[in-house]
Amino acid sequence: MWRRVLLVALALTLAGNGLHMLFAPQHWYLSLDSVAHTGPFNGHFVRDIGCAYLAAAAGIAIAAWRVTWMVPGLITALAFVGPHAALHLWELGSGRHLTQHLGLVDLVGIFGPPLLVILILLSPRRWHRAREV
């Protein structure tokens, strides 16, 4: 049950972020202090990434909805959130993104989703088909 609650919360969070990026890209860009340090505003680029967040949210929502689709749904989501977090780690390690611009929102929003997805993928599954609704 905890997996499903966590997945629904994560899907809603990623979908909310994706919708914000898609429909209010400049507001999204200006609302996060650390984003401005990555380069000038590009509305098309922000919307593109918003679409990726929506796709990841859809994969996670599918995983929450049907237990038998959990692994494919989470792997679909991990296809974006994993490399996205890895890119940020690489940028931090190479000095391209300074740690002074890394805030709590970045830590939770960038590194949290792939860590949660991996945690759920690796957690023992004790569900039975009869519990699936």
Side-chain angles (χ1 to χ4, degrees):
M1 181 66 170
W2 68 269
R3 289 176 190 89
R4 193 167 270 171
V5 170
L6 192 59
L7 290 172
V8 168
L10 184 56
L12 289 173
T13 301
L14 293 179
N17 187 55
L19 290 170
H20 190 190
M21 294 174 86
L22 198 58
F23 293 109
Q26 188 163 22
H27 182 268
W28 177 88
Y29 179 84
L30 295 172
S31 68
L32 299 171
D33 293 336
S34 61
V35 174
H37 299 286
T38 63
F41 172 73
N42 179 330
H44 178 86
F45 187 64
V46 171
R47 286 184 186 99
D48 280 346
I49 298 169
C51 291
Y53 270 101
L54 288 173
I60 292 169
I62 287 169
W65 178 52
R66 191 171 293 270
V67 174
T68 56
W69 295 354
M70 181 168 289
V71 172
L74 292 181
I75 289 174
T76 299
L78 199 56
F80 167 67
V81 297
H84 181 228
L87 173 64
H88 280 261
L89 280 176
W90 177 76
E91 287 185 342
L92 284 168
S94 67
R96 295 177 192 267
H97 189 91
L98 301 177
T99 55
Q100 67 198 29
H101 301 303
L102 187 66
L104 182 61
V105 171
D106 299 286
L107 291 172
V108 172
I110 295 168
F111 303 117
L115 291 175
L116 289 174
V117 167
I118 291 168
L119 170 74
I120 291 171
L121 279 170
L122 296 177
S123 68
R125 289 182 230 338
R126 293 185 177 92
W127 297 337
H128 299 287
R129 279 186 161 300
R131 289 188 186 173
E132 187 177 333
V133 178

